[in-house]
Amino acid sequence: MRNVSVAAIQMQCSKNVEENINKADTLLREAVKKGANIVLLPELFERQYFCQERRYDYYNFATPLNDNPAVKHFTKVAKELNIVIIVSFYEKDVNVLYNTVSVIDADGSNLGIYRKTHIPDDHFYQEKFYFTPGNTGFKIFETKYANIGVGICWDQWFPETARSMAVLGAELLFYPTAIGSEPILECDSMPHWRRCMQGHSAANLMPVIAANRIGLESVEPTTENNNQSSSLNFYGSSFITDNTGDLVESASRDKEEVLVHSFDLDELKAMRLEWGIFRDRRPETYFNITK
């Protein structure tokens, strides 16, 4: 038996970086008290979801990996608590800016980064203004407790993301997220969002862990944003599935919460083999989807 406990942190994010890091630290320690070995923090949790508006001065939020306040803080915490932490941050690599995660192992070592592959561009989710599509490719991280794959928010809508990480040997799939109200479409996308990832879980026979933020974030008109006024209501609903896509942990839409669940990785591995999903793949016939 190889048992591992995973956690998803759901939190509200302010404009104060230090405040958000401290809050994330507090919630993370709560997860560790519940037995968590691997902890997922929400997408870009260091500050408000700045992609709601277009401002050139927000480019200054980006930092190199080793200079990022959250990465530096949680590197120390990972070593202190002997846990794996997935940290989302706005990365600057010389002249190029990315939406990135750093995976920090239980000894405080940085196992590497993944840069968000799929970049959305929608009303108030204006990420193409801030991020270049990632160049790392999909990958897995061999942590102390499990081999994990990490996608970032919009990546979660693409089955190719989950399947690529599963084929590479992931045992658990993690998705830090910032998603909420649809400013133009008259719909509640939350159930659809969940079902999409539940499908990835079921199709690949492995758990999915998703961490979202909560709360209303508003934009006030300024010269810098061309007098834009808008708001997004982030709907939380973070969750953890089992390897069949069933929800085993589920958070509310409007409260800060810590979700923790345990899995036997050897049992999950045996079930993947028994179902034959990867044995019966026919990648030589899938060329149409790569055109």
Coordinates of all heavy atoms in Angstrom, one line a residue, residues 219-259:
V219 N -13.5 45.9 -10.2 CA -12.5 46.8 -10.9 C -13.1 48.2 -10.9 O -14.3 48.4 -11.3 CB -12.2 46.4 -12.3 CG1 -11.4 47.5 -13.1 CG2 -11.5 45.1 -12.3
E220 N -12.4 49.2 -10.4 CA -12.8 50.6 -10.4 C -12.2 51.3 -11.6 O -11.1 51.1 -11.9 CB -12.4 51.2 -9.0 CG -13.0 50.6 -7.8 CD -14.5 50.6 -7.8 OE1 -15.1 51.5 -8.3 OE2 -15.1 49.6 -7.3
P221 N -13.0 52.2 -12.2 CA -12.5 53.0 -13.3 C -11.2 53.8 -13.0 O -11.2 54.5 -12.0 CB -13.6 53.8 -13.7 CG -14.8 53.2 -13.1 CD -14.4 52.6 -11.8
T222 N -10.2 53.7 -13.8 CA -9.0 54.5 -13.7 C -8.5 54.8 -15.1 O -8.9 54.2 -16.0 CB -7.9 53.8 -12.9 OG1 -7.5 52.6 -13.7 CG2 -8.3 53.3 -11.5
T223 N -7.6 55.8 -15.1 CA -7.0 56.1 -16.4 C -6.2 54.9 -17.0 O -6.3 54.7 -18.2 CB -6.1 57.3 -16.3 OG1 -6.8 58.4 -15.7 CG2 -5.4 57.7 -17.6
E224 N -5.6 54.2 -16.1 CA -4.7 53.1 -16.5 C -5.5 52.0 -17.1 O -5.0 51.2 -18.0 CB -4.0 52.5 -15.3 CG -2.9 53.4 -14.7 CD -3.4 54.5 -13.9 OE1 -4.6 54.5 -13.5 OE2 -2.6 55.4 -13.5
N225 N -6.8 51.8 -16.7 CA -7.6 50.7 -17.3 C -8.7 51.3 -18.3 O -9.7 50.6 -18.5 CB -8.2 49.8 -16.3 CG -9.3 50.5 -15.4 OD1 -9.8 51.5 -15.8 ND2 -9.6 49.9 -14.3
N226 N -8.4 52.5 -18.7 CA -9.3 53.1 -19.7 C -10.8 53.2 -19.2 O -11.7 53.0 -19.9 CB -9.3 52.4 -21.0 CG -9.9 53.2 -22.2 OD1 -9.8 54.4 -22.2 ND2 -10.4 52.5 -23.2
N227 N -10.8 53.5 -17.8 CA -12.1 53.7 -17.2 C -13.0 52.5 -17.2 O -14.3 52.6 -17.1 CB -12.8 54.9 -17.7 CG -12.1 56.2 -17.5 OD1 -11.6 56.5 -16.4 ND2 -11.9 57.0 -18.6
Q228 N -12.4 51.3 -17.1 CA -13.2 50.1 -17.1 C -13.8 49.9 -15.7 O -13.2 50.2 -14.7 CB -12.3 48.8 -17.4 CG -13.0 47.5 -17.2 CD -12.1 46.3 -17.4 OE1 -11.1 46.4 -18.1 NE2 -12.4 45.2 -16.7
S229 N -15.1 49.4 -15.7 CA -15.7 49.1 -14.4 C -16.3 47.7 -14.6 O -17.1 47.4 -15.6 CB -16.9 50.1 -14.1 OG -17.6 49.7 -13.0
S230 N -16.0 46.7 -13.8 CA -16.4 45.4 -13.9 C -16.3 44.6 -12.6 O -15.7 45.1 -11.7 CB -15.6 44.6 -15.0 OG -14.3 44.5 -14.7
S231 N -16.8 43.4 -12.6 CA -16.6 42.5 -11.5 C -16.8 41.1 -11.9 O -17.4 40.7 -12.8 CB -17.6 42.8 -10.4 OG -19.0 42.6 -10.8
L232 N -16.1 40.2 -11.1 CA -16.2 38.8 -11.2 C -16.5 38.2 -9.9 O -15.9 38.5 -8.9 CB -14.9 38.2 -11.8 CG -14.6 38.4 -13.3 CD1 -13.2 37.9 -13.6 CD2 -15.6 37.8 -14.2
N233 N -17.4 37.3 -9.8 CA -17.8 36.6 -8.6 C -17.2 35.1 -8.7 O -17.8 34.3 -9.3 CB -19.3 36.6 -8.3 CG -19.6 36.1 -6.9 OD1 -18.8 36.1 -6.0 ND2 -20.8 35.6 -6.7
F234 N -16.1 34.9 -8.0 CA -15.5 33.6 -8.1 C -16.3 32.6 -7.2 O -16.5 32.8 -6.0 CB -14.0 33.7 -7.7 CG -13.2 34.5 -8.6 CD1 -13.0 35.8 -8.5 CD2 -12.7 33.9 -9.8 CE1 -12.3 36.6 -9.4 CE2 -12.0 34.6 -10.7 CZ -11.8 36.0 -10.5
Y235 N -16.6 31.4 -7.8 CA -17.6 30.6 -7.2 C -17.1 29.3 -6.4 O -17.8 28.4 -6.1 CB -18.7 30.1 -8.2 CG -18.3 29.5 -9.5 CD1 -17.4 28.5 -9.6 CD2 -18.8 30.1 -10.7 CE1 -17.1 27.9 -10.8 CE2 -18.5 29.6 -11.9 CZ -17.6 28.5 -12.0 OH -17.3 27.9 -13.2
G236 N -15.8 29.4 -6.1 CA -15.3 28.3 -5.3 C -15.6 26.9 -5.8 O -15.2 26.6 -6.9
S237 N -16.3 26.1 -5.0 CA -16.7 24.8 -5.4 C -15.5 23.8 -5.7 O -15.6 22.9 -6.5 CB -17.6 24.8 -6.6 OG -18.7 25.7 -6.4
S238 N -14.4 24.1 -5.1 CA -13.2 23.2 -5.2 C -13.6 21.8 -4.9 O -14.6 21.6 -4.1 CB -12.1 23.7 -4.2 OG -11.8 25.0 -4.5
F239 N -12.9 20.8 -5.4 CA -13.3 19.4 -5.2 C -12.2 18.5 -5.4 O -11.1 18.8 -5.9 CB -14.4 19.1 -6.2 CG -14.0 19.1 -7.6 CD1 -13.5 18.0 -8.3 CD2 -14.2 20.3 -8.4 CE1 -13.2 18.0 -9.6 CE2 -13.8 20.3 -9.7 CZ -13.3 19.2 -10.3
I240 N -12.4 17.3 -5.0 CA -11.5 16.1 -5.2 C -12.4 15.0 -5.7 O -13.4 14.7 -5.1 CB -10.8 15.7 -3.9 CG1 -9.9 16.9 -3.4 CG2 -9.9 14.5 -4.2 CD1 -9.3 16.6 -2.0
T241 N -11.9 14.3 -6.8 CA -12.7 13.1 -7.3 C -11.9 11.9 -6.9 O -10.7 11.9 -6.6 CB -12.8 13.1 -8.8 OG1 -11.5 12.9 -9.4 CG2 -13.4 14.4 -9.3
D242 N -12.6 10.7 -6.9 CA -11.9 9.5 -6.9 C -11.5 9.1 -8.3 O -11.6 9.9 -9.3 CB -12.7 8.4 -6.2 CG -14.0 8.0 -7.0 OD1 -14.1 8.4 -8.2 OD2 -14.8 7.2 -6.5
N243 N -11.0 7.9 -8.6 CA -10.5 7.5 -9.9 C -11.6 7.2 -10.9 O -11.3 6.8 -12.0 CB -9.5 6.3 -9.8 CG -10.2 5.1 -9.2 OD1 -11.1 5.2 -8.3 ND2 -9.8 3.9 -9.7
T244 N -12.9 7.3 -10.4 CA -14.0 7.0 -11.4 C -14.7 8.4 -11.7 O -15.7 8.3 -12.5 CB -15.0 6.1 -10.8 OG1 -15.7 6.7 -9.7 CG2 -14.4 4.8 -10.3
G245 N -14.2 9.5 -11.2 CA -14.8 10.8 -11.4 C -15.8 11.2 -10.4 O -16.4 12.3 -10.5
D246 N -16.1 10.3 -9.5 CA -17.1 10.6 -8.4 C -16.5 11.7 -7.5 O -15.3 11.6 -7.1 CB -17.5 9.4 -7.7 CG -18.7 9.5 -6.8 OD1 -19.5 10.4 -7.1 OD2 -18.9 8.8 -5.8
L247 N -17.3 12.6 -7.0 CA -16.9 13.6 -6.1 C -16.8 13.0 -4.7 O -17.8 12.5 -4.1 CB -17.8 14.8 -6.1 CG -17.9 15.6 -7.3 CD1 -19.0 16.7 -7.2 CD2 -16.6 16.3 -7.7
V248 N -15.6 13.0 -4.1 CA -15.4 12.5 -2.8 C -15.2 13.6 -1.7 O -15.4 13.4 -0.5 CB -14.2 11.5 -2.7 CG1 -14.6 10.2 -3.5 CG2 -12.9 12.1 -3.2
E249 N -14.8 14.8 -2.2 CA -14.8 16.0 -1.4 C -15.2 17.2 -2.2 O -14.9 17.3 -3.4 CB -13.3 16.3 -0.9 CG -12.7 15.1 -0.1 CD -13.3 14.8 1.2 OE1 -14.0 15.7 1.8 OE2 -13.0 13.7 1.7
S250 N -16.0 18.1 -1.6 CA -16.7 19.2 -2.3 C -16.8 20.4 -1.4 O -17.3 20.3 -0.3 CB -18.0 18.7 -2.8 OG -18.7 19.8 -3.5
A251 N -16.3 21.5 -1.9 CA -16.4 22.8 -1.1 C -17.6 23.6 -1.6 O -18.2 23.4 -2.6 CB -15.1 23.6 -1.3
S252 N -18.0 24.6 -0.7 CA -19.1 25.5 -1.0 C -18.6 26.5 -2.1 O -17.5 26.6 -2.5 CB -19.5 26.2 0.3 OG -18.4 27.1 0.7
R253 N -19.6 27.3 -2.4 CA -19.3 28.4 -3.4 C -18.8 29.7 -2.7 O -18.2 30.5 -3.4 CB -20.6 28.8 -4.1 CG -21.1 27.8 -5.1 CD -22.5 28.3 -5.7 NE -23.0 27.4 -6.7 CZ -22.9 27.7 -8.0 NH1 -22.4 28.8 -8.4 NH2 -23.4 26.8 -8.9
D254 N -18.9 29.8 -1.4 CA -18.6 31.1 -0.9 C -17.9 31.1 0.5 O -17.8 32.1 1.2 CB -19.9 31.9 -0.7 CG -20.9 31.2 0.2 OD1 -20.6 30.1 0.6 OD2 -22.0 31.7 0.4
K255 N -17.3 30.0 0.8 CA -16.5 29.9 2.1 C -15.1 29.5 1.9 O -14.9 28.6 1.0 CB -17.2 29.0 3.1 CG -18.6 29.5 3.5 CD -19.2 28.5 4.5 CE -20.6 29.0 5.1 NZ -21.5 29.2 4.0
E256 N -14.2 30.0 2.7 CA -12.8 29.4 2.6 C -12.8 28.1 3.3 O -13.3 27.9 4.4 CB -11.9 30.4 3.4 CG -11.8 31.7 2.7 CD -10.8 32.7 3.3 OE1 -10.6 32.6 4.5 OE2 -10.2 33.5 2.6
E257 N -12.3 27.1 2.6 CA -12.3 25.7 3.0 C -11.0 25.0 2.7 O -10.3 25.4 1.8 CB -13.5 25.0 2.4 CG -14.9 25.6 2.8 CD -16.0 24.7 2.3 OE1 -16.0 23.5 2.5 OE2 -17.0 25.3 1.7
V258 N -10.8 23.9 3.4 CA -9.7 23.0 3.2 C -10.3 21.6 3.0 O -11.0 21.0 3.8 CB -8.8 23.0 4.4 CG1 -7.7 21.9 4.2 CG2 -8.1 24.4 4.6
L259 N -10.0 21.1 1.8 CA -10.5 19.7 1.5 C -9.3 18.7 1.5 O -8.2 19.0 1.0 CB -11.0 19.6 0.0 CG -12.2 20.6 -0.3 CD1 -12.6 20.4 -1.7 CD2 -13.4 20.4 0.7

